[in-house]
Amino acid sequence: MTAYVIRRILWTVPVLWAIVTITFFLMHSVPGGPFDRERELAPSVRANLERKYGLDEPLMQQYVTYLENLVQGDLGVSMRDQRPVTTVIRDGFTVSAQLGVSAFFFALIFGFTMGLVAALNHNRIGDYLGVFFATAGSSMPNFILATFLVLIFSVQLGWTDVIGWELFNPRKMILPMVSLGMLPAAYIARITRASMLEVLNQDYIRTARAKGLSEWAIILRHSVRNALVPVLTVLGPIFAVLITGSFIIETTFAINGVGRYFVSSISSRDYGVIMGTTVFFAFIVVTANLLVDLLYVVVDPRIKYR
């Protein structure tokens, strides 16, 4: 187990290096730059700015310099507001984490419940409703869902606010949370339903019923735990995506999270913020996948890592 964890941690180094390299060269291949304005800067001012941020050096030298700084934990400086990129990410991630964790628990609880209800009512009304929810939720983009929710609950009914995010304030939390979490909830529901149906048809479930165990004991003690393994496979990537912020939802509801900073940095060609947030997102995804792999052993002791 320890050897497996060490190997996985070591593998994160080439993965992060590949992501940094691809992002760096793609970013510099896009036309335009951080100092392009509607009103053209004076050549001397532009030259001084490029010299300040090292953009006057050859591209490979910029790449090497960035890698050297990254190894030392320096993500650079935002060219737009002169703040360290670590400060930009810290300020935005506080809000994005609150939104992401809320959306994750909504997706997990609602999706798993719907999938479980659908499986336990196979070919009955509960199953049909669960399948309808999973199909509709997975086929509707979150910005379309957000628009409908705003029109109904904010404009028509006046129950919720449209702008901003405030923890423990239902008027500001519900619409962003549901809009962000509905798609992964539908995905979790589909996987839970399929996994539960497969488990309920296993021989050991028939044996448990033949021994006279109650249906709830069979479901809670034998079925649900084994059905969780496929669900755990997708929870890591889902959590990583939600926790790092949604570009569309944060922009739609004017939430000052790291996703919104990332969108604005692309528009302004803020190289430091683009690279820093990309590295941060990649690290979160890699870490979440590692934690999910370790949780397999907790859920199913038969799984062994060597």
Side-chain angles (χ1 to χ4, degrees), residues 8-290:
R8 284 295 303 270
I9 293 175
L10 292 177
W11 263 109
T12 61
V13 176
V15 170
L16 292 177
W17 170 79
I19 293 173
V20 168
T21 302
I22 294 171
T23 304
F24 183 88
F25 288 105
L26 282 177
M27 181 180 64
H28 282 83
S29 66
V30 176
F35 308 121
D36 291 337
R37 301 287 188 273
E38 293 183 3
R39 183 177 180 180
E40 189 71 21
L41 294 175
S44 59
V45 174
R46 189 184 188 92
N48 288 333
L49 289 173
E50 290 180 348
R51 187 180 306 110
K52 176 181 178 180
Y53 294 105
L55 298 179
D56 58 336
E57 299 176 350
L59 187 60
M60 285 304 300
Q61 182 59 44
Q62 295 181 42
Y63 171 68
V64 172
T65 301
Y66 184 81
L67 288 181
E68 292 174 348
N69 293 335
L70 182 62
V71 170
Q72 300 173 21
D74 182 5
L75 296 179
V77 178
S78 171
M79 301 176 185
R80 183 176 58 179
D81 53 16
Q82 308 302 311
R83 289 192 299 163
V85 174
T86 51
T87 302
V88 174
I89 294 176
R90 182 193 62 202
D91 294 344
F93 184 65
T94 301
V95 177
S96 292
Q98 295 173 1
L99 171 60
V101 170
S102 302
F104 176 78
F105 280 109
F106 164 77
L108 179 60
I109 295 171
F110 191 55
F112 189 79
T113 301
M114 290 298 296
L116 190 62
V117 169
L120 297 178
N121 295 274
H122 187 47
N123 290 332
R124 295 198 293 264
I125 184 64
D127 190 16
Y128 300 145
L129 290 175
V131 172
F132 173 79
F133 156 74
T135 304
S138 59
S139 61
M140 182 178 294
N142 54 15
F143 63 90
I144 297 294
L145 177 62
T147 302
F148 279 117
L149 292 178
V150 167
L151 289 175
I152 296 172
F153 294 101
S154 295
V155 177
Q156 298 294 331
L157 300 176
W159 291 353
T160 60
D161 295 336
V162 181
I163 298 176
W165 169 268
E166 184 179 338
L167 193 62
F168 305 124
N169 184 347
R171 289 185 59 90
K172 290 184 178 292
M173 285 184 62
I174 291 177
L175 292 194
M177 179 182 68
V178 174
S179 301
L180 182 58
M182 186 60 72
L183 177 60
Y187 191 43
I188 291 172
R190 293 172 59 185
I191 295 177
T192 302
R193 176 184 179 273
S195 180
M196 277 295 297
L197 288 177
E198 181 180 357
V199 169
L200 290 174
N201 289 322
Q202 296 296 319
D203 291 337
Y204 65 86
I205 298 297
R206 298 190 185 96
T207 302
R209 289 190 175 120
K211 289 181 177 180
L213 291 179
S214 66
E215 194 66 21
W216 280 109
I218 294 173
I219 293 171
L220 296 177
R221 292 175 56 186
H222 300 283
S223 302
V224 172
R225 185 169 183 176
N226 291 323
L228 275 175
V229 175
V231 178
L232 281 176
T233 304
V234 301
L235 289 187
I238 287 175
F239 181 77
V241 170
L242 295 179
I243 202 70
T244 52
S246 168
F247 308 146
I248 297 174
I249 296 302
E250 290 183 7
T251 303
T252 301
F253 291 97
I255 299 173
N256 292 322
V258 68
R260 193 180 182 198
Y261 281 127
F262 185 72
V263 171
S264 61
S265 68
I266 294 176
S267 302
S268 61
R269 300 292 194 277
D270 194 339
Y271 292 159
V273 176
I274 293 173
M275 290 298 302
T277 51
T278 301
V279 172
F280 179 70
F281 288 168
F283 177 77
I284 293 293
V285 171
V286 170
T287 303
N289 287 332
L290 175 60

Side-chain angles (χ1 to χ4, degrees), residues 280-300:
F280 179 70
F281 288 168
F283 177 77
I284 293 293
V285 171
V286 170
T287 303
N289 287 332
L290 175 60
L291 293 177
V292 167
D293 285 347
L294 298 180
L295 282 176
Y296 286 152
V297 180
V298 177
V299 174
D300 191 346

